[in-house]
Amino acid sequence: MKEQDSPVAKSEMLIRKPVKEVFEALVNPDITSRFWFTKGSDRLEPGKSVTWEWEQFDLIANITVLEVMEDTMISFQWPADEEGFDERTVIISFEPRPTETTLVRVVESGFDKDDEHLIETIAGQTGGWALVLSALKAWLEHDIILKVIEDHISEEHVSAE
């Protein structure tokens, strides 16, 4: 199977802010924690391992930063599941557009093509990235914390009543 034929999750969003500001929001955990995870251990820099926490879900992910190109691209690996046995690669690219806007693209790869739940998994990741980008847009453009990550509830996070 060719690499371009491998299954991926994709999402993109136009953010009405300059690329420098959008890029900083995703490498600086003090900013990212306002719209995505609740805690980040450090800035994203090449070769670093950082920890992201979603305290509301009691979830911790260890991230390995592969590459960071200032105002252009971030690439990292993160656990494919809560057990952390497999990893997926995420590439976030930033394309400056006219009038100080930025097109942000996210591509996540490394899905198991033989997984019987592949379509559901990719749909979930695509939806998750759409939520992250929507929350980023609301924060940067309007200084609003949407809480879409916090309020997005999947079956595994819902306790039985």
Side-chain angles (χ1 to χ4, degrees), residues 49-135:
S49 291
V50 299
T51 302
W52 292 343
E53 293 183 47
W54 290 264
E55 294 168 304
Q56 69 274 30
F57 301 125
D58 196 29
L59 181 65
I60 296 173
N62 295 311
I63 310 303
T64 302
V65 183
L66 302 174
E67 190 174 1
V68 176
M69 297 172 56
E70 186 82 19
D71 299 339
T72 304
M73 188 267 293
I74 300 165
S75 175
F76 60 86
Q77 287 184 318
W78 69 347
D81 53 38
E82 290 185 23
E83 288 78 40
F85 294 120
D86 295 319
E87 290 188 324
R88 291 198 207 110
T89 301
V90 175
I91 298 173
I92 304 172
S93 60
F94 305 84
E95 182 183 321
R97 291 290 180 97
T99 63
E100 298 289 303
T101 62
T102 304
L103 180 63
V104 182
R105 285 191 179 101
V106 180
V107 177
E108 183 171 351
S109 61
F111 295 92
D112 177 0
K113 67 178 182 63
D114 297 321
D115 179 359
E116 64 184 55
H117 303 289
L118 179 62
I119 292 173
E120 181 182 335
T121 300
I122 289 176
Q125 289 305 107
T126 299
W129 285 113
L131 291 175
V132 170
L133 294 177
S134 297

Side-chain angles (χ1 to χ4, degrees), residues 2-19:
K2 294 182 213 166
E3 188 160 323
Q4 68 259 26
D5 294 336
S6 297
V8 296
K10 296 180 183 180
S11 194
E12 61 183 41
M13 180 76 63
L14 184 71
I15 310 290
R16 298 183 187 286
K17 288 292 181 176
V19 70

Side-chain angles (χ1 to χ4, degrees), residues 126-143:
T126 299
W129 285 113
L131 291 175
V132 170
L133 294 177
S134 297
L136 168 64
K137 181 179 183 72
W139 171 251
L140 289 178
E141 291 182 14
H142 305 288
D143 199 26

